Amino acid sequence: MPDRLAVRKTYKLYIAGAFPRSESGRSYPVTDPKGRFLANASKASRKDARDAVVAARKAFPGWSARTPYNRGQILYRIAEMLEGRRDQFTDELRHTGASKAAAAAEVDAAVDRWVWYAGWADKLDAVAGAANPVSGPFFNFSTPEPTGVVAVIAPDSPLLGLVSVLAPVIVSGNTAVVVASEPAPLPAITLAEVLATSDLPGGVVNILTGHRTEIAPWLAAHMDVNAIDLTGVPDDDVPGLQDKAADNLKRVFRATDDWTQEPGTARLTAFLETKTVWHPVGI
């Protein structure tokens, strides 16, 4: 039987629930640690980043207006689909140099973490909100609300790290523009395929692949991005992005989580605003 001609796959971006090519037409090769070719990934441009922000902004009112219970159910369904693609994610993580056992363990941890965050959807109000004691015939309530469009620079932990920065952003009602791991983007692209076939509305999550140093400054400076997570940004680049984010008073989050440890609530509350309401007693 003759050898088959290799089909070199070029993965696309994920914007507004669709898979467009980069408007620049650029791509870059993704290789394993030994330099062997795996696939081509689209190299997102400034225009692609702007398109992703537009899609996230358009999706925000509908997503934030859903009941927390509904958001939790949608995230739980995504976890089910991640579990269904366990073997594919394991193979992609093995291409990053992980052993089969380590890759399988990371996939399991990523699914478990997604489920963990999904379970918080209808509990955030109780934990982050409060009934405040006041002097007078009034009720005073503080309730959390989503910030808006959040740009996320994902770490190079290509699945567990990605889940750890993305799930807490959207479970609380925000929408996201994610810059995936530059050297290992394939798990993020496969996650995009999962999201596209789930019941997550288009535009809630938008995933860009390419050079972080090219895309991150435009997202940090974008006036319609409300917050930015710099977890995947090298230390030397953080001050410059913080300066750009200050132009429209973006909320900036920077953490160095150990992805192998159990998460806390810091990321769940990082992109929430607090609304306080007064109401007269007896009315």
Side-chain angles (χ1 to χ4, degrees):
M1 185 175 182
D3 292 336
R4 295 183 61 224
L5 182 67
V7 179
R8 296 200 165 197
K9 189 168 183 178
T10 298
Y11 289 95
K12 301 177 180 64
L13 309 174
Y14 181 59
I15 299 174
F19 292 92
R21 298 179 185 276
S22 170
E23 62 83 28
S24 67
R26 302 175 302 167
S27 63
Y28 69 101
V30 180
T31 59
D32 66 12
K34 295 183 178 179
R36 292 175 295 198
F37 176 85
L38 298 175
N40 291 304
S42 289
K43 187 187 293 186
S45 67
R46 175 185 179 184
K47 173 65 164 55
D48 297 318
R50 290 202 308 266
D51 290 345
V53 173
V54 169
R57 176 60 62 195
K58 184 177 180 180
F60 175 69
W63 181 242
S64 61
R66 288 177 179 254
T67 66
Y69 176 80
N70 180 250
R71 288 199 299 266
Q73 288 297 297
I74 290 173
L75 262 70
Y76 187 79
R77 172 59 181 154
I78 293 170
E80 291 178 338
M81 298 178 73
L82 285 171
E83 183 76 34
R85 290 204 183 200
R86 185 177 184 275
D87 290 344
Q88 181 180 359
F89 279 112
T90 299
D91 287 343
E92 289 174 347
L93 290 175
R94 291 184 67 189
H95 291 319
T96 67
S99 67
K100 184 175 182 180
E106 180 170 346
V107 175
D108 291 344
V111 174
D112 292 347
R113 187 154 301 179
W114 196 279
V115 171
W116 189 85
Y117 277 117
W120 271 98
D122 57 358
K123 302 172 182 65
L124 269 176
D125 282 0
V127 172
N132 308 308
V134 294
S135 178
F138 304 99
F139 293 116
N140 183 271
F141 303 103
S142 294
T143 59
E145 292 192 344
T147 296
V149 175
V150 180
V152 179
I153 315 301
D156 283 335
S157 172
L159 184 59
L160 182 57
L162 176 63
V163 166
S164 298
V165 296
L166 174 59
V169 169
I170 63 173
V171 73
S172 54
N174 298 291
T175 56
V177 177
V178 182
V179 181
S181 167
E182 184 176 330
L186 300 190
I189 298 167
T190 301
L191 176 62
E193 294 175 351
V194 169
L195 299 178
T197 52
S198 72
D199 47 359
L200 186 76
V204 172
V205 175
N206 305 272
I207 298 178
L208 305 175
T209 54
H211 295 333
R212 274 182 290 217
T213 54
E214 180 179 353
I215 308 169
W218 297 115
L219 292 173
H222 200 298
M223 300 302 286
D224 204 26
V225 172
N226 302 104
I228 187 167
D229 183 343
L230 301 180
T231 297
V233 176
D235 292 340
D236 292 344
D237 295 338
V238 169
L241 295 177
Q242 288 176 326
D243 288 345
K244 291 180 180 296
D247 286 343
N248 75 332
L249 303 180
K250 283 183 184 62
R251 179 172 294 194
V252 177
F253 183 78
R254 168 74 169 165
T256 54
D257 303 59
D258 180 354
W259 311 118
T260 65
Q261 301 302 311
E262 291 298 318
T265 58
R267 288 187 174 275
L268 283 164
T269 57
F271 303 112
L272 292 175
E273 308 290 345
T274 300
K275 179 176 73 175
T276 299
V277 177
W278 294 74
H279 195 282
V281 173
I283 297 179

